[in-house]
């Protein structure tokens, strides 16, 4: 009898996907946050995998644009620290009109909540 024959079947299965590079790399997504917001706004609605993929790509794209713009603002003003002010200005530059106003309002609330939690 070989060593393989002595190992229980359920143990053999659990050992397969482990080890040298065969495991799938986890990618970070905004899916759970998008879903939570959807349920706050429309509790009865769902979202398909394809729609979630598109929304996730959209969030990544906007995040990247805001970060790039904020980084440029830091470079222009010879600062090494990215602060809430640079983010706010970047949001004003990247997002159009009313959307920027709402985003800045929500961002201000988040910063205030964070500062309150520190005390």
């Amino acid at each position: 009898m070989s060593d393989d024959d002595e190992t229980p079947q359920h143990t053999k299965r659990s050992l397969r996907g482990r080890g040298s590079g065969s495991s799938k790399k986890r990618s970070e997504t905004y899916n759970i946050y998008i879903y939570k917001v959807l349920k706050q706004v429309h509790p009865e609605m769902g979202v398909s995998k394809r729609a979630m993929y598109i929304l996730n790509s959209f969030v990544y794209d906007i995040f990247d644009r805001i970060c790039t713009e904020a980084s440029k603002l830091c470079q222009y003003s010879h600062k090494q620290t990215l602060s809430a002010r640079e983010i706010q200005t970047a949001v004003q530059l990247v997002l159009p009109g009313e959307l920027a106003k709402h985003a800045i309002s929500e961002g201000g609330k988040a910063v205030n909540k964070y500062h309150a939690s520190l005390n």
Side-chain angles (χ1 to χ4, degrees):
M1 228 161 141
S2 70
D3 288 319
D4 267 354
D5 294 337
E6 292 173 7
T7 308
Q9 189 65 27
H10 64 85
T11 308
K12 286 181 190 175
R13 254 186 250 126
S14 65
L15 294 175
R16 276 187 199 145
R18 312 237 178 220
S20 59
S22 64
S23 62
K24 193 174 181 183
K25 185 182 177 196
R26 295 181 106 188
S27 61
E28 292 185 5
T29 63
Y30 293 101
N31 293 357
I32 58 170
Y33 310 108
I34 293 168
Y35 191 75
K36 284 178 182 180
V37 170
L38 174 68
K39 288 303 172 186
Q40 284 178 349
V41 179
H42 293 289
E44 72 285 351
M45 270 190 143
V47 61
S48 68
K49 283 184 184 179
R50 187 167 185 215
M52 186 62 82
Y53 176 79
I54 291 167
L55 287 168
N56 198 50
S57 297
F58 173 75
V59 172
Y60 267 113
D61 182 50
I62 295 297
F63 181 75
D64 185 51
R65 288 182 193 192
I66 292 171
C67 288
T68 303
E69 195 62 43
S71 173
K72 287 178 186 175
L73 288 168
C74 279
Q75 288 175 348
Y76 296 152
S77 59
H78 305 290
K79 291 184 179 180
Q80 292 187 348
T81 306
L82 185 68
S83 68
R85 184 176 182 187
E86 281 79 31
I87 299 295
Q88 184 172 342
T89 308
V91 166
Q92 284 177 329
L93 293 169
V94 171
L95 299 179
E98 199 68 23
L99 190 57
K101 289 178 187 173
H102 285 289
I104 289 167
S105 170
E106 291 298 318
K109 283 189 222 172
V111 169
N112 289 336
K113 186 176 178 181
Y114 172 72
H115 283 301
S117 73
L118 293 178
N119 298 332

